[in-house]
Amino acid sequence: MNALNKFIVASIPAVPRPIVRKFASRYIAGEEIADAVRVVKDLNRQGILATLDLLGEDITRKEEALAPRDKILEALQAISDEKLDSNVSIKLTQLGLKIDKNFCLENVRQIVSKAKELRNFVRIDMEDSPVTDDTLWVYRQIRKESENVGIVLQAYLHRTSDDADELIKEGLKNFRLCKGIYVEPASIAFKEHDGINSNFIRVLEQMLKSGAYTGIATHDDVLVEAAYRMISSMRLQKSDYEFQMLLGVRSDLRSKIVRDGHRLRIYVPFGRQWYRYSVRRFKENPKIAGYVFKALFTRFLSN
Ligand SMILES: Cc1cc2nc3c(=O)[nH]c(=O)nc-3n(C[C@H](O)[C@H](O)[C@H](O)COP(=O)(O)OP(=O)(O)OC[C@H]3O[C@@H](n4cnc5c(N)ncnc54)[C@H](O)[C@@H]3O)c2cc1C
């Protein structure tokens, strides 16, 4: 991020919410399940798979976990009723991980069991490093009970290759690999683009070689090309892996991956808690400074 973008991102809390919302709209399906259903139907028509994500994270009281849990159950039912090709992604801090991991496990259990009843699948997103161990703990517990659940590992963490190794040895072979989006200290994470990319390639190779079903989650051309080469040299079948991208990001790359005949899944966030997710997306968007300035300027002129 250049200095101007850093400044803009730091100033976002001062930007009126309607303006932030306007820019967020490209990354978010809408506030309701019906909005997500509409977006997924459109993706499915283009031969693209989806994963639904109910926005929200970091609750502070147990009662706050119940509404998101029920909403995710509702989303699973909607996927089934509407015959969508979509699974769900869940964030454990939205389901009480930071309050009581056993309570969180119970919430996840209900979601995974509903998904199993509907022959669907649950992906556990990975959040920031203070919850990595507990997230992996919940995953390991739930995986003992059910196979229709997978985990995410982040290439920017130094520990990730070891985590992948251990999970593979335990026979837990369903991953999404992404770079990682949280701000982590240099003592535990690669901070530079090249270090993150090298680790991504290393861990991806580890996963694919082990026969793990891997969601290759990136918008980075270099990593997509590296993945293409591995897929070809390992002679993988289309059913052995998928590419994954976020809604609203790099539609050019999305079309290329589909054109090249690979499975592609789009992460489709929906819900009312859109703010923090949107700010994380803005940080990654090199053009955001220009867009936000233009919008603020236009608003100023029209007032
Ligand atoms: C399906 C999916 C699921 C994810 N799940 C998790 C998770 O569970 N935990 C986690 O920590 N992270 C998750 N991430 C986020 C991921 O870690 C971040 O997106 C990461 O910081 C950016 O990685 P990148 O591969 O896009 O590479 P980058 O180097 O950041 O981006 C590559 C190129 O993509 C373009 N680009 C990227 N983002 C944007 C944007 N927002 N707007 C416009 N252009 C953009 C830019 O042109 C950039 O040059 C997920 C990402 C995907 C795709």
Side-chain angles (χ1 to χ4, degrees):
M1 234 189 332
N2 66 30
L4 182 57
N5 269 5
K6 273 191 186 145
F7 170 73
I8 291 290
V9 167
S11 319
I12 284 176
V15 175
R17 283 212 168 207
I19 293 187
V20 179
R21 181 71 186 87
K22 184 167 176 286
F23 289 103
S25 62
R26 65 184 285 193
Y27 299 122
I28 290 163
E31 295 198 348
E32 308 301 332
I33 290 179
D35 297 317
V37 166
R38 190 177 26 80
V39 169
V40 173
K41 271 191 183 161
D42 187 44
L43 291 167
N44 285 174
R45 265 195 294 271
Q46 301 169 54
I48 298 174
L49 316 170
T51 184
L52 284 192
D53 161 60
L54 173 66
L55 291 162
E57 54 208 271
D58 262 346
I59 56 147
T60 50
R61 289 180 301 118
K62 279 189 178 175
E63 305 81 80
E64 292 172 62
L66 306 182
R69 181 200 63 199
D70 292 347
K71 188 63 93 178
I72 296 165
L73 295 173
E74 223 183 292
L76 279 164
Q77 191 60 52
I79 290 170
S80 169
D81 293 348
E82 300 283 344
K83 300 187 174 36
L84 303 179
D85 206 334
S86 177
N87 56 38
V88 295
S89 290
I90 59 173
K91 283 197 170 43
L92 298 192
T93 65
Q94 186 184 36
L95 297 166
L97 186 67
K98 284 189 180 165
I99 305 167
D100 173 351
K101 65 182 184 182
N102 283 297
F103 166 75
C104 175
L105 176 62
E106 182 47 39
N107 289 324
V108 174
R109 186 173 279 130
Q110 290 186 37
I111 292 168
V112 170
S113 123
K114 172 90 175 176
K116 190 172 181 181
E117 180 193 312
L118 298 171
R119 297 189 180 172
N120 209 328
F121 177 84
V122 177
R123 173 77 57 194
I124 298 177
D125 283 349
M126 187 57 80
E127 299 173 72
D128 51 353
S129 60
V131 294
T132 309
D133 283 329
D134 285 349
T135 303
L136 289 170
W137 178 84
V138 170
Y139 172 55
R140 285 183 162 105
Q141 297 308 308
I142 206 75
R143 187 57 182 69
K144 285 180 196 157
E145 301 165 20
S146 212
E147 287 196 357
N148 60 320
V149 59
I151 192 69
V152 177
L153 294 181
Q154 297 152 319
Y156 64 15
L157 291 185
H158 298 158
R159 61 179 283 171
T160 289
S161 177
D162 292 341
D163 284 335
D165 229 16
E166 281 170 28
L167 291 165
I168 289 166
K169 277 188 197 133
E170 292 164 40
L172 309 187
K173 295 197 200 173
N174 193 314
F175 298 107
R176 171 195 299 151
L177 179 63
C178 65
K179 289 190 185 182
I181 186 60
Y182 301 89
V183 180
E184 301 289 0
S187 53
I188 62 164
F190 298 100
K191 301 298 283 180
E192 300 305 325
H193 179 267
D194 289 356
I196 299 171
N197 274 23
S198 305
N199 204 40
F200 192 108
I201 290 170
R202 173 178 172 204
V203 177
L204 180 60
E205 190 168 19
Q206 216 176 323
M207 290 174 172
L208 292 176
K209 267 192 179 153
S210 78
Y213 186 83
T214 306
I216 308 161
T218 182
H219 316 99
D220 188 330
D221 296 305
V222 173
L223 294 179
V224 170
E225 287 303 323
Y228 274 23
R229 284 194 295 277
M230 275 185 227
I231 288 162
S232 152
S233 71
M234 293 182 203
R235 297 175 191 272
L236 297 180
Q237 304 296 308
K238 305 255 177 268
S239 53
D240 295 335
Y241 65 91
E242 63 188 40
F243 285 91
Q244 299 186 351
M245 294 176 64
L246 301 176
L247 186 68
V249 180
R250 302 255 355 234
S251 53
D252 57 329
L253 182 60
R254 184 208 276 198
S255 310
K256 179 181 171 358
I257 291 172
V258 173
R259 245 191 349 263
D260 292 341
H262 302 281
R263 278 158 72 98
L264 175 68
R265 188 178 300 277
I266 297 291
Y267 188 95
V268 178
F270 74 98
R272 298 186 181 169
Q273 311 279 322
W274 49 267
Y275 190 79
R276 283 171 70 178
Y277 177 86
S278 307
V279 172
R280 287 203 292 273
R281 298 287 75 81
F282 294 164
K283 282 186 192 166
E284 298 172 310
N285 187 340
K287 294 186 183 141
I288 195 68
Y291 293 154
V292 176
F293 260 142
K294 195 169 158 206
L296 276 171
F297 191 59
T298 311
R299 188 183 155 108
F300 175 73
L301 284 182
S302 62
N303 278 339

